[in-house]
Amino acid sequence: MKLRRLYRLVLILFLLTGCNYGGQIEIDWVDFIKWNNKEYHGVYTGFISDPSLIGEKIGKTTFKVSDSINDPEYKTKNGDAAFLPKGTTLFEVKGRPGFIAVKDKYEINGYKLYVEYNSKHDRFWFKHIPIDQVTKIETYAIDPHNDVDRTLKQTLSGKEEIDHILFLLTTSKEKPSYQPDMKDGDPLMYEMTFYTGEPIAYKLSVHYDKINYYFHPDDTNLIDDKIALFFR
């Protein structure tokens, strides 16, 4: 009886630690590129404002770590990338050191940006937008079945329209405890872009759960329903 209990205990321990006992550990990789001994992370709230601002080729990735590496102690090397295929061409961004660009047909203006991690360049949240310098705003509807597909809804360059949108966003109400209404499925998704005359433009996600429009500048903020005018 004692031997049987011991066997069952060993089996339970094996099942609990199987990933470390001859198995593989699944690593949740950050979207990064290692280049010139620096780590660059994918930018999700910024994009190149004009493709002509993409500069010279600076090299290519040499290894896609997410396909092969399961060791959490792995030390990344120059040329490593989490998800980019081996041989992906890397470009500089004119006038913006600290950034790397790669071609991406799903991104606005055709390139995805990577920024030097934990640097002064890594500042692309809503609070970093220079509100008084915004010259153009675009709004997009996101395909609910494929979040990389977007449809341009409006392009706004008039001062009155821009000021109205910025007012609605900056006067939104903090609601950290807000839980979206999901009874009719996932909330609808939209994007807003903000051009300021700089090489990097800003991007903001907005959601609508059929009751409220909301976004996440830090925590959850509810936006006045008047914002709906700009997603039609």
Side-chain angles (χ1 to χ4, degrees):
M1 181 64 72
K2 289 183 179 180
L3 183 61
R4 184 175 300 174
R5 287 179 179 174
L6 178 61
Y7 171 78
R8 291 173 64 184
L9 178 60
V10 170
L11 178 60
I12 291 170
L13 289 173
F14 174 80
L15 291 174
L16 291 174
T17 62
C19 288
N20 296 310
Y21 193 83
Q24 292 184 334
I25 298 173
E26 184 175 343
I27 300 175
D28 188 13
W29 291 102
V30 171
D31 185 10
F32 78 91
I33 300 169
K34 184 71 171 289
W35 194 254
N36 286 340
N37 300 317
K38 296 178 180 178
E39 193 167 291
Y40 294 77
H41 285 193
V43 178
Y44 294 94
T45 52
F47 61 98
I48 194 74
S49 63
D50 186 332
S52 68
L53 296 170
I54 298 297
E56 299 294 324
K57 297 178 182 179
I58 58 174
K60 295 184 177 182
T61 60
T62 56
F63 185 56
K64 181 179 177 182
V65 299
S66 61
D67 279 350
S68 307
I69 302 299
N70 298 297
D71 179 4
E73 301 300 319
Y74 175 75
K75 303 298 183 184
T76 57
K77 303 182 294 294
N78 287 327
D80 283 359
F83 306 116
L84 299 175
K86 176 182 177 181
T88 298
T89 302
L90 309 178
F91 298 87
E92 67 178 4
V93 177
K94 296 177 183 176
R96 289 306 298 261
F99 286 85
I100 292 174
V102 301
K103 288 184 177 180
D104 186 337
K105 65 181 180 180
Y106 297 112
E107 266 294 344
I108 298 171
N109 294 329
Y111 289 86
K112 179 177 176 60
L113 295 175
Y114 289 78
V115 64
E116 184 182 339
Y117 175 62
N118 204 24
S119 71
K120 65 180 181 179
H121 311 291
D122 191 4
R123 304 179 189 278
F124 284 91
W125 299 105
F126 178 71
K127 64 184 177 182
H128 298 133
I129 300 175
I131 298 297
D132 59 339
Q133 297 177 33
V134 175
T135 58
K136 183 174 74 171
I137 296 176
E138 295 172 333
T139 62
Y140 294 85
I142 305 300
D143 187 330
H145 305 294
N146 187 350
D147 62 9
V148 298
D149 287 339
R150 56 175 63 84
T151 301
L152 178 64
K153 305 301 288 185
Q154 296 188 41
T155 299
L156 309 158
S157 56
K159 186 177 186 308
E160 185 175 346
E161 295 171 317
I162 290 174
D163 286 349
H164 189 188
I165 290 175
L166 294 174
F167 175 78
L168 293 174
L169 294 174
T170 55
T171 59
S172 58
K173 307 301 182 183
E174 291 186 14
K175 194 76 170 180
S177 61
Y178 184 72
Q179 296 294 323
D181 189 304
M182 306 287 281
K183 67 177 183 296
D184 293 327
D186 291 336
L188 299 177
M189 296 185 294
Y190 301 94
E191 278 183 346
M192 307 185 83
T193 65
F194 304 84
Y195 292 78
T196 64
E198 292 294 319
I200 314 299
Y202 297 80
K203 183 168 58 175
L204 177 70
S205 295
V206 175
H207 304 268
Y208 178 54
D209 63 0
K210 311 294 179 64
I211 298 175
N212 289 299
Y213 287 88
Y214 59 96
F215 73 124
H216 304 283
D218 284 306
D219 214 312
T220 303
N221 279 33
L222 302 185
I223 312 171
D224 190 293
D225 287 350
K226 292 185 179 70
I227 199 75
L229 295 171
F230 301 102
F231 296 127
R232 295 173 182 169

mmCIF file of all heavy atoms in Angstrom, residues 8 21 63 76 102 111 189 211 229:
data_model
loop_
_atom_site.group_PDB
_atom_site.id
_atom_site.type_symbol
_atom_site.label_atom_id
_atom_site.label_comp_id
_atom_site.label_asym_id
_atom_site.label_seq_id
_atom_site.Cartn_x
_atom_site.Cartn_y
_atom_site.Cartn_z
ATOM 1 N N ARG A 8 1.889 7.001 -6.750
ATOM 2 C CA ARG A 8 0.907 8.020 -7.114
ATOM 3 C C ARG A 8 1.447 9.418 -6.845
ATOM 4 O O ARG A 8 1.217 10.353 -7.608
ATOM 5 C CB ARG A 8 -0.392 7.804 -6.340
ATOM 6 C CG ARG A 8 -1.145 6.550 -6.784
ATOM 7 C CD ARG A 8 -2.327 6.258 -5.901
ATOM 8 N NE ARG A 8 -3.329 7.311 -5.991
ATOM 9 C CZ ARG A 8 -4.428 7.327 -5.241
ATOM 10 N NH1 ARG A 8 -4.633 6.380 -4.341
ATOM 11 N NH2 ARG A 8 -5.302 8.297 -5.389
ATOM 12 N N TYR A 21 10.671 18.601 -16.647
ATOM 13 C CA TYR A 21 11.188 17.242 -16.459
ATOM 14 C C TYR A 21 11.240 16.563 -17.816
ATOM 15 O O TYR A 21 10.421 15.729 -18.155
ATOM 16 C CB TYR A 21 10.284 16.468 -15.496
ATOM 17 C CG TYR A 21 10.878 15.177 -14.996
ATOM 18 C CD1 TYR A 21 11.761 15.177 -13.924
ATOM 19 C CD2 TYR A 21 10.551 13.969 -15.592
ATOM 20 C CE1 TYR A 21 12.290 14.009 -13.451
ATOM 21 C CE2 TYR A 21 11.089 12.779 -15.126
ATOM 22 C CZ TYR A 21 11.967 12.799 -14.054
ATOM 23 O OH TYR A 21 12.501 11.634 -13.588
ATOM 24 N N PHE A 63 17.899 35.207 -36.863
ATOM 25 C CA PHE A 63 17.374 34.068 -36.113
ATOM 26 C C PHE A 63 16.027 34.437 -35.510
ATOM 27 O O PHE A 63 15.881 35.494 -34.896
ATOM 28 C CB PHE A 63 18.357 33.679 -35.002
ATOM 29 C CG PHE A 63 17.979 32.450 -34.230
ATOM 30 C CD1 PHE A 63 17.753 31.238 -34.868
ATOM 31 C CD2 PHE A 63 17.846 32.496 -32.849
ATOM 32 C CE1 PHE A 63 17.414 30.107 -34.146
ATOM 33 C CE2 PHE A 63 17.504 31.373 -32.122
ATOM 34 C CZ PHE A 63 17.286 30.169 -32.776
ATOM 35 N N THR A 76 20.063 36.530 -25.684
ATOM 36 C CA THR A 76 19.828 36.962 -27.058
ATOM 37 C C THR A 76 21.104 37.539 -27.672
ATOM 38 O O THR A 76 21.953 38.107 -26.990
ATOM 39 C CB THR A 76 18.720 38.018 -27.128
ATOM 40 O OG1 THR A 76 19.059 39.139 -26.297
ATOM 41 C CG2 THR A 76 17.386 37.431 -26.668
ATOM 42 N N VAL A 102 10.583 47.802 -40.100
ATOM 43 C CA VAL A 102 10.530 46.638 -40.994
ATOM 44 C C VAL A 102 9.244 46.739 -41.820
ATOM 45 O O VAL A 102 8.247 47.303 -41.363
ATOM 46 C CB VAL A 102 10.551 45.297 -40.220
ATOM 47 C CG1 VAL A 102 11.804 45.178 -39.373
ATOM 48 C CG2 VAL A 102 9.309 45.141 -39.354
ATOM 49 N N TYR A 111 4.859 50.006 -42.720
ATOM 50 C CA TYR A 111 6.035 49.634 -41.928
ATOM 51 C C TYR A 111 5.656 49.509 -40.451
ATOM 52 O O TYR A 111 4.827 50.261 -39.955
ATOM 53 C CB TYR A 111 7.146 50.687 -42.056
ATOM 54 C CG TYR A 111 7.817 50.693 -43.407
ATOM 55 C CD1 TYR A 111 7.271 51.429 -44.459
ATOM 56 C CD2 TYR A 111 8.984 49.968 -43.641
ATOM 57 C CE1 TYR A 111 7.870 51.442 -45.714
ATOM 58 C CE2 TYR A 111 9.590 49.975 -44.886
ATOM 59 C CZ TYR A 111 9.024 50.712 -45.915
ATOM 60 O OH TYR A 111 9.614 50.719 -47.163
ATOM 61 N N MET A 189 -14.250 47.613 -32.355
ATOM 62 C CA MET A 189 -12.937 48.221 -32.203
ATOM 63 C C MET A 189 -12.714 49.283 -33.275
ATOM 64 O O MET A 189 -13.087 49.104 -34.437
ATOM 65 C CB MET A 189 -11.845 47.160 -32.296
ATOM 66 C CG MET A 189 -11.885 46.133 -31.177
ATOM 67 S SD MET A 189 -10.472 44.991 -31.253
ATOM 68 C CE MET A 189 -10.842 44.123 -32.794
ATOM 69 N N ILE A 211 -22.839 50.280 -25.350
ATOM 70 C CA ILE A 211 -23.314 51.156 -24.272
ATOM 71 C C ILE A 211 -22.393 52.366 -24.136
ATOM 72 O O ILE A 211 -22.850 53.503 -24.106
ATOM 73 C CB ILE A 211 -23.387 50.395 -22.927
ATOM 74 C CG1 ILE A 211 -24.398 49.248 -23.034
ATOM 75 C CG2 ILE A 211 -23.772 51.348 -21.798
ATOM 76 C CD1 ILE A 211 -24.441 48.375 -21.798
ATOM 77 N N LEU A 229 -19.604 60.267 -33.885
ATOM 78 C CA LEU A 229 -19.699 61.029 -35.143
ATOM 79 C C LEU A 229 -18.485 60.819 -36.031
ATOM 80 O O LEU A 229 -18.575 60.904 -37.259
ATOM 81 C CB LEU A 229 -19.837 62.523 -34.831
ATOM 82 C CG LEU A 229 -21.096 62.985 -34.098
ATOM 83 C CD1 LEU A 229 -20.957 64.450 -33.687
ATOM 84 C CD2 LEU A 229 -22.320 62.786 -34.977
#
